[in-house]
């Protein structure tokens, strides 16, 4: 990536094939996100109104963000990603906006920090405006429960968070309702806490589709390991299926870390190593703990 005046330019290479497992979910997303953007003319010919928003929920590190990026890549859409974190009555915006510039997916991204209440709404409006200009576009909200927390009753929690959250939420609802007139714009959101999201976002025309992104099962783990070892020099004694079997409760992100750690173990043993052996994966496994707990699988 190159950085010019706070603007980072990067090329996204995330495709459906970079995501292990989740076959049915990928198909769902193709139909819900990729088709309406790629085949907009067919949708309008048949008078089908595409869904406007998809909410992805599930444990952290299990590819919600990666799925959104892959959908944008597959639909050749601009990808705008926003993330709001609240601290008392300030908004700490970790903002990354991505603009698709050419046929190849090229992204510009920038991050900024703002502590002024009110900027969040302006940022939201600006993002939707940019998305309309750059259409087809996907707007992605990470940690959507922060932007649209459940509203409490009039006597409920009146902390700064809720006030700021309510203002952002009503801006988001207005913008999403406005999408009815626009084509080629889809809103995707991710959360680990779907129950913490305000019900107003689940009304028709907003997040009409809610998809659970589960932790990987053994086959999923095998595929994830295959993906993350694609470029690694593995010795013949490495059996990815066996590793998949002894990594229950590992997320995709954990497995990515395991592969990296196995490579590091090989280097630590011998800086001139030419391949990574089974023993290195075993060493990596014993030095790392999974992020998930049994409760998530139930
Ligand atoms: P969070 O809730 O913390 O934002 P997330 O569900 O959005 O997490 P991602 O950010 O998409 O998860 O994934 C984290 C990392 O784990 C990515 O860099 C990705 O490469 C890897 N990963 C997760 N799941 C998979 C998968 N199914 N296949 C391949 N890689 C995966």
């Amino acid at each position: 990536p190159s950085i010019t005046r706070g603007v980072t330019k990067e090329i996204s290479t995330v495709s459906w094939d970079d995501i292990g497992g989740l076959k049915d979910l990928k198909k769902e997303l193709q139909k819900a996100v990729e088709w309406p953007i790629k085949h907009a003319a067919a949708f309008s010919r048949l008078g089908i109104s595409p869904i406007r928003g998809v909410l992805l929920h599930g444990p952290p590190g299990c590819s919600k963000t990666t799925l959104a990026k892959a959908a944008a890549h597959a639909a050749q859409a601009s990808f705008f990603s926003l993330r709001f974190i609240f601290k008392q009555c300030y908004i700490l915006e970790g903002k990354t906006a991505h603009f698709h510039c050419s046929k190849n997916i090229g992204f510009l991204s920038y991050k900024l920090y703002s502590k002024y209440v009110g900027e969040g709404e302006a940022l939201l409006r600006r993002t939707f405006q940019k998305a309309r200009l750059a259409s087809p576009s996907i707007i992605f909200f990470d940690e959507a429960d922060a932007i649209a927390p459940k509203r409490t009753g009039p006597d409920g929690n009146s902390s700064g968070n809720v006030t700021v959250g309510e203002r952002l939420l009503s801006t988001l609802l207005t913008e999403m309702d406005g999408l009815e007139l626009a084509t080629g714009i889809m809103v995707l959101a991710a959360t680990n806490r779907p129950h913490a999201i305000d019900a107003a976002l689940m009304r028709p025309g907003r997040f009409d589709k809610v998809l659970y992104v589960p932790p990987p099962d053994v086959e999923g783990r095998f595929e994830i390991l295959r993906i993350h070892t694609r470029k690694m020099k593995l010795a013949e004694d490495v059996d990815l299926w066996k590793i998949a079997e002894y990594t229950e409760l590992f997320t995709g992100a954990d497995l990515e870390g395991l592969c990296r750690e196995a490579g590091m173990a090989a280097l630590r043993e011998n800086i001139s190593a030419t391949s990574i052996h089974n023993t290195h994966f075993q060493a990596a496994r014993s030095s790392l703990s999974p992020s998930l707990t049994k409760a998530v699988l139930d």
Side-chain angles (χ1 to χ4, degrees):
S2 64
I3 297 172
T4 335
R5 275 180 270 129
V7 178
T8 316
K9 192 174 178 182
E10 55 179 280
I11 305 291
S12 166
T13 51
V14 181
S15 76
W16 296 120
D17 292 340
D18 295 323
I19 300 169
L22 306 173
K23 212 181 270 168
D24 294 340
L25 193 77
K26 286 194 253 181
K27 274 197 201 131
E28 277 284 316
L29 279 172
Q30 274 164 347
K31 277 187 286 180
V33 181
E34 196 183 324
W35 286 12
I37 290 179
K38 268 184 147 169
H39 309 293
F43 273 68
S44 69
R45 190 174 62 240
L46 295 180
I48 308 169
S49 60
I51 57 169
R52 294 282 167 221
V54 179
L55 178 71
L56 301 171
H57 69 99
C62 291
S63 78
K64 298 182 294 298
T65 309
T66 315
L67 283 164
K69 285 185 180 169
H73 180 90
Q76 293 272 293
S78 318
F79 187 70
F80 296 84
S81 147
L82 284 109
R83 186 178 197 206
F84 292 84
I85 300 163
F86 294 94
K87 270 201 172 173
Q88 293 168 0
C89 63
Y90 295 136
I91 301 171
L92 172 62
E93 290 170 17
K95 177 193 153 193
T96 316
H98 302 265
F99 304 90
H100 171 213
C101 344
S102 66
K103 267 196 184 156
N104 301 318
I105 303 278
F107 292 98
L108 286 175
S109 72
Y110 59 94
K111 289 190 178 202
L112 67 91
Y113 169 88
S114 162
K115 62 183 169 108
Y116 300 107
V117 173
E119 279 217 0
E121 294 100 288
L123 172 65
L124 261 183
R125 282 193 292 267
R126 270 202 313 275
T127 306
F128 273 83
Q129 202 175 8
K130 281 181 186 157
R132 275 191 285 269
L133 289 173
S135 161
S137 303
I138 286 177
I139 303 173
F140 176 66
F141 293 101
D142 204 356
E143 295 177 36
D145 44 284
I147 194 178
K150 216 170 227 165
R151 285 173 289 193
T152 48
D155 302 312
N157 190 343
S158 59
S159 75
N161 282 3
V162 173
T163 314
V164 174
E166 281 186 359
R167 286 163 55 173
L168 276 175
L169 177 60
S170 77
T171 309
L172 177 60
L173 294 177
T174 312
E175 290 294 344
M176 284 196 78
D177 292 346
L179 288 185
E180 258 174 60
L181 303 171
T183 50
I185 300 178
M186 191 77 71
V187 182
L188 265 65
T191 182
N192 308 322
R193 304 186 310 137
H195 303 299
I197 290 188
D198 198 280
L201 267 178
M202 303 301 163
R203 298 219 186 101
R206 293 166 185 172
F207 289 100
D208 326 67
K209 207 170 212 20
V210 178
L211 298 173
Y212 176 58
V213 185
D217 57 11
V218 67
E219 270 177 46
R221 293 197 297 275
F222 172 67
E223 285 183 27
I224 295 170
L225 287 164
R226 261 211 330 222
I227 288 167
H228 289 290
T229 53
R230 268 193 303 224
K231 292 186 186 150
M232 294 172 91
K233 294 267 180 298
L234 299 185
E236 294 225 326
D237 66 355
V238 175
D239 181 342
L240 294 182
W241 184 263
K242 278 226 173 76
I243 300 171
E245 281 178 336
Y246 67 65
T247 46
E248 209 199 359
L249 301 178
F250 273 59
T251 63
D254 292 339
L255 292 167
E256 189 179 6
L258 179 94
C259 296
R260 192 179 312 114
E261 187 49 36
M264 294 301 289
L267 282 184
R268 273 196 301 272
E269 192 178 278
N270 176 5
I271 198 69
S272 325
T274 52
S275 57
I276 301 155
H277 287 262
N278 183 37
T279 48
H280 303 127
F281 278 92
Q282 281 171 340
R285 171 65 190 89
S286 37
S287 70
L288 299 170
S289 342
S291 303
L292 301 170
T293 57
K294 281 253 186 250
V296 176
L297 302 184
D298 296 338

